[in-house]
Amino acid sequence: MGRDRITDRHGRRRMTRSERLGVGGVITLAAVALAGVVAGVIIDRLLDFDDAMDAGGEWDEGGGVSTRWQ
């Protein structure tokens, strides 16, 4: 059979080393994902991508688009 599980003085089973590493990996992955989302939101707020994506066109008040190449 398997080894006996180590319990603390309250009778709870302690986590094995591999279980602790697994939980630590999941927490690290979640923290990196959260940092990426926060960085993306900050970059999106700081940079105005609308000007870079319109290929040189300008929207006029009539709803049409005119380009500076015409």
Side-chain angles (χ1 to χ4, degrees), residues 6 10 25 27 34 37 40 42-43 46 52 62-63 65:
I6 299 173
H10 298 292
I27 291 172
L34 180 64
V37 169
I42 290 172
I43 289 172
L46 291 177
V65 64

Side-chain angles (χ1 to χ4, degrees), residues 2-69:
R3 296 183 299 175
D4 291 330
R5 297 290 184 171
I6 299 173
T7 57
D8 64 5
R9 57 189 166 135
H10 298 292
R12 294 178 299 204
R13 184 181 67 83
R14 290 175 39 190
M15 290 174 54
T16 63
R17 181 171 186 250
S18 61
E19 288 171 338
R20 285 194 307 265
L21 289 174
V23 170
V26 169
I27 291 172
T28 301
L29 185 63
V32 169
L34 180 64
V37 169
V38 170
V41 168
I42 290 172
I43 289 172
D44 185 51
R45 299 287 178 156
L46 291 177
L47 299 177
D48 187 14
F49 286 111
D50 293 337
D51 292 336
M53 301 302 264
D54 68 2
E58 286 185 13
W59 292 95
D60 63 12
E61 293 180 5
V65 64
S66 62
T67 63
R68 60 186 128 185
W69 307 113

